[in-house]
């Protein structure tokens, strides 16, 4: 019932090798209009991610390395001095290759993961995109917040078919002739008759978990109320 990362991710990914020089990384970001790229080794394994922010560390700390008399604003200097990440930022500022500049390890997700897992990972790590990997950490693609929104543009016919076949027939093993499944703009309406009230409740809950469903309107009736046993 769940759409996987493999179905929505971007497969054509711009990456850089761990030995790629600073200037070439900057040119890659500008040329392709991206804010970050994965860093890979000779085998294509993901080592980390290098972003615009990683490159800009050199600009912020350039007075330490170029003696040009440049000093960041006082607020920036205090932030760097007090931040627990200051050492890492200074390391990046001195870096000349992707391996020295990157943030590692990269936040990755397998291509087989459900998109809801990807959304939770983005929220947990405070990122807008995840590097998608295959077995052994090999780069497969990139999945972004925009990619995750693709699940909500599934056709209504596809959503209704998934609920009828996967939820009702395969998961609940119920006869669907007495049940009508309708979907309009992602809003699903379940109507008709089911044998037991408990099955009707489960059907509504499971329909709401199908990717692309915005809401579920419950119009189901039942022949036997099996939810009041023992009362």
């Amino acid at each position: 019932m769940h759409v996987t990362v493999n179905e929505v991710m971007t497969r054509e990914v711009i990456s850089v090798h761990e030995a790629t020089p600073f200037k070439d990384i900057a040119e890659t970001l500008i040329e392709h209009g991206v804010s970050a790229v994965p860093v890979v080794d000779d085998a294509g394994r993901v080592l980390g991610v290098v972003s615009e922010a990683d490159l800009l560390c050199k600009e912020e700390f350039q007075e330490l390395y170029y003696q040009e008399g440049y000093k960041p604003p006082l607020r920036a200097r205090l932030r760097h001095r007090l931040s627990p990440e200051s050492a890492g930022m200074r390391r990046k500022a001195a870096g000349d290759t992707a391996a020295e500049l990157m943030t590692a390890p990269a936040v990755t997700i397998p291509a087989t993961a459900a998109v809801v897992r990807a959304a939770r990972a983005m929220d947990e790590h405070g990122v807008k995109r995840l590097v998608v990997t295959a077995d052994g950490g090999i780069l497969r693609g990139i999945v972004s917040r925009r990619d995750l929104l693709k699940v909500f543009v599934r056709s209504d016919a596809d959503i209704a078919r998934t609920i009828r076949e996967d939820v009702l027939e395969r998961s609940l093993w119920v006869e669907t002739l007495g049940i009508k499944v309708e979907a309009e703009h992602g809003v699903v309406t379940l109507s008709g008759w089911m044998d037991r009230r408990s099955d009707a409740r489960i059907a509504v809950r499971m329909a709401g978990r199908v990717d692309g469903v915005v809401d579920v309107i419950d119009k189901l009736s039942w022949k036997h109320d099996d939810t009041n046993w023992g009362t």
Side-chain angles (χ1 to χ4, degrees), residues 1-3 7 154 157-174 176 181 190 202-203 205-211 213:
M1 293 186 293
H2 292 292
V3 176
E7 296 175 72
R154 294 178 69 187
D158 186 31
I159 291 173
R161 182 172 55 254
T162 297
I163 293 173
R164 186 177 299 107
E165 296 177 358
D166 291 349
V167 173
L168 299 178
E169 295 178 358
R170 294 195 185 119
S171 296
L172 291 181
W173 292 5
V174 299
T176 61
V181 182
L190 298 179
I202 295 172
R205 288 199 300 269
M206 293 184 67
R209 295 172 184 168
V210 171
D211 290 321
V213 172

Side-chain angles (χ1 to χ4, degrees), residues 139-157:
L139 178 64
R140 284 285 306 278
I142 292 287
V143 63
S144 66
R145 289 178 178 177
R146 179 174 296 181
D147 292 327
L148 298 187
L149 289 175
K150 293 177 183 177
V151 301
F152 290 104
V153 294
R154 294 178 69 187
S155 70
D156 289 329

Side-chain angles (χ1 to χ4, degrees), residues 9-10 19 30 40-41 44 49 53 55 64 95 99 110 140 161 167 171-172 176 185 201 206 217:
M9 70 181 186
T10 299
I30 294 171
V40 298
D41 62 13
V49 173
L55 299 187
L64 295 178
R140 284 285 306 278
R161 182 172 55 254
V167 173
S171 296
L172 291 181
T176 61
H185 301 299
R201 288 182 173 179
M206 293 184 67
I217 299 175

Side-chain angles (χ1 to χ4, degrees), residues 173-225:
W173 292 5
V174 299
E175 177 58 60
T176 61
L177 293 178
I179 304 172
K180 188 174 183 180
V181 182
E182 299 175 293
E184 184 174 359
H185 301 299
V187 178
V188 174
T189 300
L190 298 179
S191 57
W193 288 85
M194 298 189 73
D195 187 57
R196 297 182 299 179
R197 185 179 184 180
S198 60
D199 285 341
R201 288 182 173 179
I202 295 172
V204 171
R205 288 199 300 269
M206 293 184 67
R209 295 172 184 168
V210 171
D211 290 321
V213 172
V214 177
D215 195 8
V216 179
I217 299 175
D218 179 11
K219 293 185 177 181
L220 289 171
S221 300
W222 55 89
K223 297 177 181 178
H224 306 289
D225 187 352

